[in-house]
Every structure is written in structure tokens, then in C-alpha cells.
Amino acid sequence: MLLGGLGLGGAAAAAVGLAACGGSGGPTPIPAPTLRAPTPVPGVTDGVFALGVASGDPLPDGVILWTRLAPRPSEGGGMPSRDVPVDWQIAADENFRSVVRAGTQTAQAAFAHSVHVDVRGLEPGREYFYRFRAGTVLSPVGRTRTAAAPQAGTDAAGGALTLALASCQDFQNGYWPAFDAIAADAPDLVVHVGDYIYEYDPDSRFPDRLHTTPQQPGLDQLQTLADYRNRYGQYKADPALQAAHHAAPWVVTWDDHEVENNYAGLVDEAGDAGDRHQDPATFARQRAAAYQAYYEHMPIRAELNPGSPDLRIYRRLAFGGLLTLNVMDTRQYRTPVPGNSPEAIGPAALGAGNTGGTMAGAAQERWLRAGLDASRTRWNVIAQQTMMAQLDGQLPVGSGSMLTNLDQNDGYRPYRRRLLSGVRDSRVRNPVVLSGDLHCAWVNDLRVDFDRPETPAVATEFVCTSISSAFFLVNDDFVRENNARLNPHVRYFRGDRRGYTRIRVTPTELRADMRVVADLSRRDSPVSTDATWVVEDGVPGARPA
């Protein structure tokens, strides 16, 4: 939409007039923030906000606002190779009559013309609306929400927090009605635990869902910064994903497919050979490109060092006295999968014997434990990537070797024991783990020793099913039979439906709805609740509602 001479300046001017109205003798009103007059920018025309807007990492007084100028998002962006000033506003109302913050940020060509604005000075626990302007072109409007104000101790916990847990959105496997459902929910927060994009070559039964072609097709990998940028551009141009971003702030972390399937640290996928294999130095360059593209497309509060294969994204967010959210990164710092098998499925004994292994790295393990020890909130959530609960199986069921998915926590069992022992020993109140990756929904009791089912649960785990990625664990019956024999800590499982998990947290309970999509081949597929599970304050373990 072209705004001509008024643009955002008119809205800001109106807000100044409103702020100036007041009774005589009262305090001098604070003028609303104003913007410079809209100025046409050569090369910036309608369609420049093709990727929409987003917000994330909410604090009690601030939030990250994001956009990227990209009229041709899957074809290099389509922007001139120069920096562009971008104006932004955040208001207390959707019509922008009460503007509370405004400014101008430079969209740098070196960062794909992405914009990250760390807005501060907002009020805690309230809804805001935001938008951008490039030249005379106005962006869509996004809704966001700040975190509740800090409170002293669990006894001060109040209010409620609603969130959507999502992961694994393979563009080629179908449409994303789950994201439209999340947008309709208008939660306080979306927590995305990884696999935001997939790196695979074009191959889809849907003609309009074929992946972008990388610079070196045939490898089933993305390798260059341009490859990753085009793939993110393709994903983020999807209207359902944009709707979910416009509806709420997101807290994101990555898993493997944002770089390459089943990578660990600077080791690429086990079993890669020929042109698919990269030594650590080559893979470091690929990871640097992937991490930069991730930063460029996410509403994340992080410090990017261009060209570096490192980017710290593990962080902690608090929501009043109600909830602390510990967001982990279990890819960047993990040791290689034991056995170096090209298949993730392998002998469970390899995971049990992986005494030197870690998924998080020593520094992040210490960070998590220190945060748990210090927490005084009512609920304490650990958001991480792969399922934490033990998942052993036999093929055929009841005979043969004990197998497991070594890319999950099951490949790093001593690490998992350390982490869950820390949860137990910290005596933190109401610990809950949120996970994804496995493309099916689970509710699990977490124990320090899963081989001793008589021991008490120390936490509850909710694993969301995928937004669209395909189920790969043989079939539901196979998993259920193995769970009945070998995994008594599994309280709920469903693998034949895609969707997300909707969670509402109050001082007295955490309530999780398992939301399922009827048909991925329809953009307008209905989404329903398959089951609801509840964790009560002070009572470890979940129960059906």
C-alpha cells in the first residue's frame, strides 16, 4: 500500500494531538513520538514487505520487532544493493492513535535488508501493535505482548500465560493450517523449538510447495548464504506462517534442519560421503551461513558476528512470578552421535555408554542449573529440541536388539541423567520440558532413571507433533506396542496427525491441548483438540483432563 504524503507521519501527528489534550494545571503531557515525513526510496515499491512482520523475546519493558525488505524473497530478495532507512512504530491500539514508541532503523544490505528493533520503555504485561514503513510503503500490522512485571517469589504468582508450542514445518510435505489455528488462538507467546526450514532439494507432491533450488542441487543440502536466504524467504512468504507471526511474539530456537540433518557441533551428518561430506572447516563455513540467515529472519535478541560459525541463542525469559522459560540450544555445542552411524536408529547401549557426551555443552549445562537453583517462579519450563524421555523399542516387538533414536536424548543418556538430577536437586517448583523434533505428540513422565519406573517423576514433558513434517516411526501401532512393553512413562502418544500444542498456565495448573490437523492437503483444513492433559501445581506428572 502506498501512503503518499501522510504515511505514518499523519498517525504520529494525530497521536501528538491526543497526548496534548489535558486539564489546565495538570502535569505537562509527554508528546507522542513522531516520525520523519515519508520519503520515496528508489527501488522500494509495493511488495517490499512480502515477508510480513514479527516480534519476539518479550521482556517486561521491551520486545524485538522484526521485518525484512524483500519483494522477491526466494530470488535473492530483489532489493537494491544499498542500505535503506526503515521507520517503525509501536502503539497501544491497533489504529495507532496512541503511539508510544517510534524511530528509524537501517536495513543493511549486508544482512539481507533485515531489521531488528529492540524496543524498550514499554509497560509490562500488556498488548501492543507495531508496523514499519520503507519509503512510502506501509507494512502489515503485528500484535505483540510484553512479559509480566517481575514479582517476588512463587506466592506472588498471578495471572495467566497462553502459549503455542510448535516445530518441524517441512514446506514440501503440505500446507500449514496449524499456523492459521495458532493465529486464531492469539496466544501470549509462540514457542518454536526447531526445524523452521528444511534443507532438502525440491521434491513435493504439491506443485506450489517445491523447495527453492540451491546453487548445487543433488546434494539434498543448502550450503551458501544465498541458499539459506532464499529458503527462509520461501517459507516466510507463506500466509499462514505470517499470520501466526502477526498474532503474537515468538521465542525461537533451532534444531538440525536449519543447517543440516542430524549435525552435531561442527560435524555434519553421519554417513555423508563424496560431495555431501564436509570436513569441520568447510562445515564451519556452512554453519556460519546458516546461522546468519537464521538471525536475519528471526525476531531474536542475539549478537551476530558475520562469518563466525557461532551464535549464542540459549537464553532465559521470565513472565512475572508465574513462569520462567529456559530456552536451550542442543545442536551447536553437542558432541557427535555415538557410533557415527548413518542412521539415527541404533543400539540403546551406545547411548548408555556415551559418558563423555553432551547435547548442551558444559557451559550451558551450568547455566541451566544455576537458573533452576535461583528461580522463584511458580512454573519452570525448559524448551529444548529432541524428546527427553526414554524411547526404547524392538523390531519386531518383543524380540531382537534394544534400539533407540541416538540423535535424541537417548543417545546421550549420562547427559540426560545429569540434567534431570539437576532438576530434582534444585527443588525448583513445577518443572516442565517442552520438546519437538519427532513429528508426533507425546506426554511423558520424566525420571532420573527411566529403567526404574517405581521412582518418582521429577518433571513432565510435552512434545508437540509437527506442523507439517512427515511421521517416520514405522506406524502408530508399532510405537504403542513398544511403549506398553518398554516405556511405561509415556502417558500419551499420537503420530498420525500434524498440529501443535496449546498451553495455558495459571498459578494452579498447566493445561495442554493436543491440537490436530485433519488434512495437510487443504490450506483450510479444520483443526481440533484430540486430548487435554493437566499438570497441577505441586503435583509432578500429568493427568487427563
Side-chain angles (χ1 to χ4, degrees), residues 272-278:
D272 277 2
D275 291 341
R276 288 176 57 90
H277 174 69
Q278 298 125 70

PDB file of all heavy atoms in Angstrom, residues 272-278:
ATOM      1  N   ASP A 272      27.547 -39.060   5.494  1.00  0.00           N
ATOM      2  CA  ASP A 272      27.738 -38.270   4.269  1.00  0.00           C
ATOM      3  C   ASP A 272      29.067 -38.642   3.613  1.00  0.00           C
ATOM      4  O   ASP A 272      30.089 -38.794   4.292  1.00  0.00           O
ATOM      5  CB  ASP A 272      27.740 -36.769   4.589  1.00  0.00           C
ATOM      6  CG  ASP A 272      26.334 -36.208   4.688  1.00  0.00           C
ATOM      7  OD1 ASP A 272      25.377 -36.985   4.542  1.00  0.00           O
ATOM      8  OD2 ASP A 272      26.203 -34.991   4.918  1.00  0.00           O
ATOM      9  N   ALA A 273      29.043 -38.757   2.292  1.00  0.00           N
ATOM     10  CA  ALA A 273      30.254 -39.124   1.543  1.00  0.00           C
ATOM     11  C   ALA A 273      30.313 -38.302   0.267  1.00  0.00           C
ATOM     12  O   ALA A 273      29.322 -37.684  -0.149  1.00  0.00           O
ATOM     13  CB  ALA A 273      30.251 -40.618   1.212  1.00  0.00           C
ATOM     14  N   GLY A 274      31.472 -38.292  -0.373  1.00  0.00           N
ATOM     15  CA  GLY A 274      31.640 -37.568  -1.630  1.00  0.00           C
ATOM     16  C   GLY A 274      31.390 -36.088  -1.455  1.00  0.00           C
ATOM     17  O   GLY A 274      31.837 -35.475  -0.474  1.00  0.00           O
ATOM     18  N   ASP A 275      30.652 -35.503  -2.392  1.00  0.00           N
ATOM     19  CA  ASP A 275      30.383 -34.069  -2.339  1.00  0.00           C
ATOM     20  C   ASP A 275      29.483 -33.680  -1.169  1.00  0.00           C
ATOM     21  O   ASP A 275      29.426 -32.500  -0.800  1.00  0.00           O
ATOM     22  CB  ASP A 275      29.733 -33.601  -3.644  1.00  0.00           C
ATOM     23  CG  ASP A 275      30.694 -33.648  -4.820  1.00  0.00           C
ATOM     24  OD1 ASP A 275      31.920 -33.679  -4.580  1.00  0.00           O
ATOM     25  OD2 ASP A 275      30.216 -33.667  -5.983  1.00  0.00           O
ATOM     26  N   ARG A 276      28.778 -34.645  -0.605  1.00  0.00           N
ATOM     27  CA  ARG A 276      27.907 -34.352   0.543  1.00  0.00           C
ATOM     28  C   ARG A 276      28.695 -34.174   1.836  1.00  0.00           C
ATOM     29  O   ARG A 276      28.200 -33.562   2.789  1.00  0.00           O
ATOM     30  CB  ARG A 276      26.890 -35.476   0.743  1.00  0.00           C
ATOM     31  CG  ARG A 276      25.788 -35.525  -0.308  1.00  0.00           C
ATOM     32  CD  ARG A 276      24.882 -36.734  -0.082  1.00  0.00           C
ATOM     33  NE  ARG A 276      24.302 -36.725   1.246  1.00  0.00           N
ATOM     34  CZ  ARG A 276      23.152 -36.152   1.578  1.00  0.00           C
ATOM     35  NH1 ARG A 276      22.465 -35.510   0.653  1.00  0.00           N
ATOM     36  NH2 ARG A 276      22.698 -36.201   2.811  1.00  0.00           N
ATOM     37  N   HIS A 277      29.890 -34.733   1.901  1.00  0.00           N
ATOM     38  CA  HIS A 277      30.662 -34.680   3.145  1.00  0.00           C
ATOM     39  C   HIS A 277      31.502 -33.409   3.214  1.00  0.00           C
ATOM     40  O   HIS A 277      32.102 -32.987   2.229  1.00  0.00           O
ATOM     41  CB  HIS A 277      31.590 -35.893   3.247  1.00  0.00           C
ATOM     42  CG  HIS A 277      32.515 -35.819   4.432  1.00  0.00           C
ATOM     43  ND1 HIS A 277      32.065 -35.924   5.723  1.00  0.00           N
ATOM     44  CD2 HIS A 277      33.863 -35.617   4.515  1.00  0.00           C
ATOM     45  CE1 HIS A 277      33.091 -35.807   6.559  1.00  0.00           C
ATOM     46  NE2 HIS A 277      34.193 -35.621   5.848  1.00  0.00           N
ATOM     47  N   GLN A 278      31.535 -32.804   4.395  1.00  0.00           N
ATOM     48  CA  GLN A 278      32.379 -31.637   4.643  1.00  0.00           C
ATOM     49  C   GLN A 278      33.250 -31.882   5.863  1.00  0.00           C
ATOM     50  O   GLN A 278      32.755 -32.397   6.881  1.00  0.00           O
ATOM     51  CB  GLN A 278      31.520 -30.392   4.879  1.00  0.00           C
ATOM     52  CG  GLN A 278      30.665 -30.004   3.694  1.00  0.00           C
ATOM     53  CD  GLN A 278      29.205 -29.893   4.076  1.00  0.00           C
ATOM     54  OE1 GLN A 278      28.834 -28.986   4.786  1.00  0.00           O
ATOM     55  NE2 GLN A 278      28.397 -30.836   3.623  1.00  0.00           N
TER      56      GLN A 278
END
